[in-house]
Amino acid sequence: MRKKSIDWPDRLTVILIGVILSLIVFITLYPLLFVLFASFSDGDQLLAHRGLLWKSLGFNISAYTRALANPAIWSGYKNTITLVLGGVMLNLSLTILGAYVLSRRNVLWNKMLMIFVVVSMFFSGGMIPFYLVIKQLGMMNTLWALLLPFSIKTFHLIIMRTAFLSLPPSLEEAAQIDGAGHWTMLLRVVIPLSMPVITVIVLYTAVDKWNMWFFPSMFIQDRTLYPLQLVLREILIYSQTDTISSGAATGEAYKLGETIKYATIIIATLPVLLVYPFLQRFFVKGALVGSIKG
């Protein structure tokens, strides 16, 4: 059977779409490539370079050597990993429990509870009362100030509830006939069938905790408790200021400081970039499951 030929207008459309998508990929990817190439470049050549950067200029790893020798980087990693692990466990536990209750069809005032949850998302308190509550509870300058107040998010709760509602009611009825209680139902039926959505919540929470810098800058004064992104922010903002104020703006410190900033960015973002490809298929499936039924 003769294959149907593709008309020229269709071919032009495919080519145009391919060009546009390629341009979008380039615009998205190039800033990261620029930072990567700059981090492995020689300071003199990097400062003298103008325009786009397509490769490292005078391959040099001294920026990484200096950055990794900074004890603030390692303490930042430790604090950030603590925030990620603690935040994921706390957020996931409370989100699953809350979503399970809100997804039960026979719970009294179920609809009213859901309306209250949604309304609370739009009418939450401002930063000043939030700050005062944390200070009053004695959580200032502790990692608890970054864990407990953010232990559950309404958006995550809605996604999880939607996923639980999409499960066939017959599974719940069969489990009840076999004598299963709510904990058995949750642990052996609901959670195993909702792993894609749970993976999405884990990824959302982990990335949120990994990138956290604004709230730590408000609640943390002890530099040994700084998360990695706050350390990175200090390096990016104050490295040039320190060299300029010391009169070394044109010296070796300034040249090396430029490459150290780029190396620190790579060090801070590399773990997320390495983990995300392995979770992408769960992320896409879970995001779809969590949005098809309300």
Side-chain angles (χ1 to χ4, degrees), residues 10-26:
D10 295 334
R11 292 183 180 180
L12 290 176
T13 302
V14 172
I15 293 173
L16 180 61
I17 293 174
V19 171
I20 294 175
L21 292 178
S22 300
L23 183 61
I24 293 174
V25 170
F26 173 76

Side-chain angles (χ1 to χ4, degrees), residues 129-148:
F130 188 63
Y131 177 85
L132 294 176
V133 168
I134 290 179
K135 187 175 182 179
Q136 188 67 27
L137 292 175
M139 293 192 297
M140 292 292 293
N141 210 34
T142 67
L143 293 181
W144 288 111
L146 307 177
L147 287 173
L148 292 180

